[in-house]
Amino acid sequence: MNAESDEREKGAAAPAASGSAAGDGRTADGKPEERELGSRAPAYIRSSRVLLVSWQVGIFVVGLAVVAAGAAMLVLPGPGWLVIFGGMAIWATEFVWAQLVLRWTKRKVTEAAQRALDPKVRRRNIILTTLGLVIIAVLVGVYVWKFGIVMPWKIDQ
């Protein structure tokens, strides 16, 4: 199933000397190190094909349950997207495709955060938010002026 991880294990006899001297998880050019793709199952599980397949089936089932719960939370109360990404992280412990999806998502979220910190974008967002609040306040004011405030319960009693 994970042919890529088998090839890397053979070539991983000599550890790579990449990373800064501080060991902070960054490469020499300052970019964050990315973990190798492939299974993170313990060595004794990877030694047996039956154990590895059963391990992967278990990881898939647990990840599927978490992703399904997150999908349900998209329409029900709860942190749906957060739970879905948690399920993807569970899958990413074992499956290369999930690792690639999470890397892509992390890259896109980082880019969006950087764009949001741009002063021009922040100024535009503040102006649009203020304009929206003013419009809502005017509409509420017109409604109250035209129809008044009618409480659904009787306060005077």
Side-chain angles (χ1 to χ4, degrees):
M1 281 188 151
N2 281 338
E4 298 89 1
S5 63
D6 295 336
E7 291 171 9
R8 271 192 305 282
E9 289 172 11
K10 292 175 187 172
S18 67
S20 64
D24 61 355
R26 298 198 172 266
T27 59
D29 60 357
K31 294 182 180 176
E33 281 185 19
E34 290 189 358
R35 297 179 72 170
E36 286 188 19
L37 298 174
S39 176
R40 293 187 180 92
Y44 70 91
I45 290 177
R46 284 182 281 172
S47 65
S48 169
R49 183 75 177 153
V50 173
L51 280 177
L52 181 61
V53 170
S54 59
W55 174 269
Q56 288 177 335
V57 167
I59 293 291
F60 182 80
V61 168
V62 169
L64 184 63
V66 172
V67 168
M73 286 182 203
L74 290 176
V75 294
L76 299 172
W81 285 110
L82 183 66
V83 174
I84 289 173
F85 288 127
M88 290 295 294
I90 291 171
W91 279 339
T93 62
E94 201 56 38
F95 303 109
V96 173
W97 61 268
Q99 293 168 1
L100 293 174
V101 168
L102 280 180
R103 283 186 184 179
W104 178 84
T105 304
K106 185 184 289 186
R107 192 169 47 249
K108 291 299 180 182
V109 166
T110 304
E111 290 171 6
Q114 290 300 320
R115 280 195 312 269
L117 292 176
D118 180 25
K120 291 180 182 178
V121 173
R122 290 185 68 190
R123 188 173 22 250
R124 182 200 65 202
N125 290 345
I126 290 172
I127 290 170
L128 289 175
T129 302
T130 305
L131 184 62
L133 289 174
V134 167
I135 289 171
I136 290 172
V138 167
L139 291 174
V140 167
V142 168
Y143 180 85
V144 168
W145 175 67
K146 193 112 170 139
F147 301 105
I149 298 177
V150 178
M151 297 291 176
W153 55 89
K154 300 187 183 208
I155 295 177
D156 55 344
Q157 291 181 356

